[in-house]
Amino acid sequence: MNAPRQGLFASLLIVSFALHTFLLVIATTHQLNENRASQGQLMTSQLVADSLSELEPANTVSLALVANRYATNPSIASIRILDANKQVLATSGMAKTRQGEVFVRDALQNEKKVGTVEITLIQPSIGEILRTQWLAILASLFIHGLIWLAYRAIARPTRSEYLARINQENHLKHEIQRLTQALALEKQNTVTLVAQAQQQAKVQPKSRIEKASTDQQINLDHQTVALNIQFYDPKQLLSSVNQSVSVPYFKLCQLFLDKSIDLCAKHYQLDAAQINVVQEFNAEGATLSTTSEHPHALECLMMIGAVFQLLADVLYKRYREDKRFALQTRGAVASAVDAMQLDAIEAAKRLTQHLHAKEAALHLNHEQLKTVQNSYELVVMPNPSSIMTRHAFMINGMNEQCATVAQNLRTEILMGKKVKASTES
């Protein structure tokens, strides 16, 4: 039960300690420069006053004694006393090879220059400054260490939070496994039904997909609306992944979509057959269609898109945690666009291509918009590039009632509750 993002916080503390040490060195260097300037001016003035009587005439012995007395100061690197002709009369210093700041002052007697005094004060290095400030640096390191320990103690999740997280992860894992098993079982049942049909050589009722294919040949009128769901794949992962990975993923997405259709149709008291599956999930996504002539058909279609997006988010997060292939989705609902000679299905596909991950949009006529505008928060699409996008809207949210319905249906699907089917043998 470690605190979250310990590595990032430790990196920030290291950067903070480095900046604190750097600022400490800068402040100390600035203070030392000011002190050195004051000290240099004062010492040159005193040395001039003490050596002035010995410069005219020059008494090198006395000057050397004066220079040696001043050189006992540990901050002095070297001292030179020169006459008016720049000839060296006396030198002294404990560290003549050290670099430092040179202070020069002329010795004047009766407004006549009789000599010059030069004092070089030692300029400490970064290492020397660090050695003088070791206590402050050690205190800073100790404080940063205390902050690190406090973060680990405060930010560490409680046992109940940790157990709740583990339970949630296990629950999601079991949900995905249950849905995968349901997909395999459904596939097996389909194979069995096909075998029985071949043996009996009877004409079976058309499936929803076959009905949708027949409906595609008919020109859809303005009452037809379509829902298109596509994968958001900016890195073109679908083209590089093996079919043994992508096909089961498509089937699992289709299972989510079928369950969303069944539950949403049941909630809005519709026959699930009224929602036509025009295209099952593949690399280009999936497409559904219905007609707004049926009561609540449009609301049902939009709810299917919302519920599937919630399910797709769960699937994406779970698969990404397991380092498995997964893509985020986007979806759009549209009716026919006369100006572009597009039917509802083609319009929905083109509108979806303008969206990013987890986004949803719609393009409906005036009457259809009045049906859904009270349930969904709509905003104008940014940067429209065609007649369709100029009259389309982004779905920015939904009201509390619709959000509750979507969450409940999502939970019901993930919990694996059995839904009664309305098919007849």
Side-chain angles (χ1 to χ4, degrees), residues 37-51 70 102-107 117-121:
S38 300
Q39 184 182 16
Q41 294 175 3
L42 179 61
M43 293 184 70
T44 52
S45 299
Q46 292 177 347
L47 184 56
V48 167
D50 291 344
S51 62
Y70 276 84
V102 180
F103 296 88
V104 180
R105 185 178 290 272
D106 294 333
V117 171
E118 293 182 0
I119 296 180
T120 302
L121 296 182

Side-chain angles (χ1 to χ4, degrees), residues 8-18 144-145 147-149 151:
L8 178 60
F9 190 74
S11 301
L12 291 176
L13 287 180
I14 292 173
V15 172
S16 174
F17 174 72
H144 282 82
I147 294 174
W148 164 248
L149 294 177
Y151 172 79

Side-chain angles (χ1 to χ4, degrees), residues 222-225 290-298 365 368:
H222 293 85
Q223 298 299 322
T224 300
V225 289
T290 187
T291 174
S292 59
E293 293 178 349
H294 300 302
H296 306 299
L298 177 57
N365 58 42
Q368 294 166 343

Side-chain angles (χ1 to χ4, degrees), residues 100-114:
E101 187 174 354
V102 180
F103 296 88
V104 180
R105 185 178 290 272
D106 294 333
L108 301 177
Q109 189 175 29
N110 298 325
E111 297 183 355
K112 177 184 176 183
K113 181 179 178 181
V114 295

Side-chain angles (χ1 to χ4, degrees), residues 364-399:
L364 302 173
N365 58 42
H366 183 67
E367 293 298 327
Q368 294 166 343
L369 278 175
K370 289 171 61 178
T371 305
V372 300
Q373 64 182 0
N374 293 328
S375 301
Y376 295 87
E377 180 183 349
L378 306 178
V379 295
V380 179
M381 285 196 70
N383 305 319
S385 57
S386 64
I387 296 177
M388 179 178 63
T389 52
R390 278 198 295 270
H391 294 86
F393 296 90
M394 298 284 293
I395 300 176
N396 198 35
M398 57 180 64
N399 62 21

Side-chain angles (χ1 to χ4, degrees), residues 102-249:
V102 180
F103 296 88
V104 180
R105 185 178 290 272
D106 294 333
L108 301 177
Q109 189 175 29
N110 298 325
E111 297 183 355
K112 177 184 176 183
K113 181 179 178 181
V114 295
T116 303
V117 171
E118 293 182 0
I119 296 180
T120 302
L121 296 182
I122 295 174
Q123 186 172 4
S125 64
I126 299 297
E128 291 173 333
I129 294 176
L130 291 176
R131 282 197 298 271
T132 60
Q133 296 296 327
W134 69 270
L135 185 59
I137 295 174
L138 185 62
S140 175
L141 180 62
F142 179 72
I143 292 173
H144 282 82
L146 289 180
I147 294 174
W148 164 248
L149 294 177
Y151 172 79
R152 291 193 62 183
I154 296 173
R156 180 181 299 171
T158 63
R159 182 173 180 81
S160 59
E161 292 175 343
Y162 176 75
L163 293 177
R165 180 180 176 184
I166 295 298
N167 290 336
Q168 183 181 8
E169 291 180 354
N170 291 334
H171 179 65
L172 290 176
K173 184 176 181 179
H174 292 321
E175 289 170 356
I176 298 299
Q177 291 177 350
R178 188 186 301 115
L179 290 171
T180 304
Q181 292 173 358
L183 175 62
L185 180 60
E186 186 172 333
K187 181 179 179 181
Q188 183 179 358
N189 293 337
T190 303
V191 173
T192 303
L193 290 175
V194 171
Q196 291 177 355
Q198 291 176 349
Q199 291 176 358
Q200 296 175 0
K202 294 181 180 180
V203 178
Q204 298 293 333
K206 292 184 177 180
S207 63
R208 284 191 301 194
I209 300 175
E210 292 170 343
K211 290 182 180 179
S213 301
T214 304
D215 291 342
Q216 278 187 299
Q217 300 174 359
I218 304 173
N219 291 328
L220 299 177
D221 57 17
H222 293 85
Q223 298 299 322
T224 300
V225 289
L227 166 65
N228 178 254
I229 301 171
Q230 295 180 13
F231 295 109
Y232 182 68
D233 188 19
K235 297 182 180 180
Q236 303 297 321
L237 297 179
L238 277 174
S239 59
S240 60
V241 73
N242 195 290
Q243 286 189 352
S244 61
V245 176
S246 61
V247 172
Y249 180 72

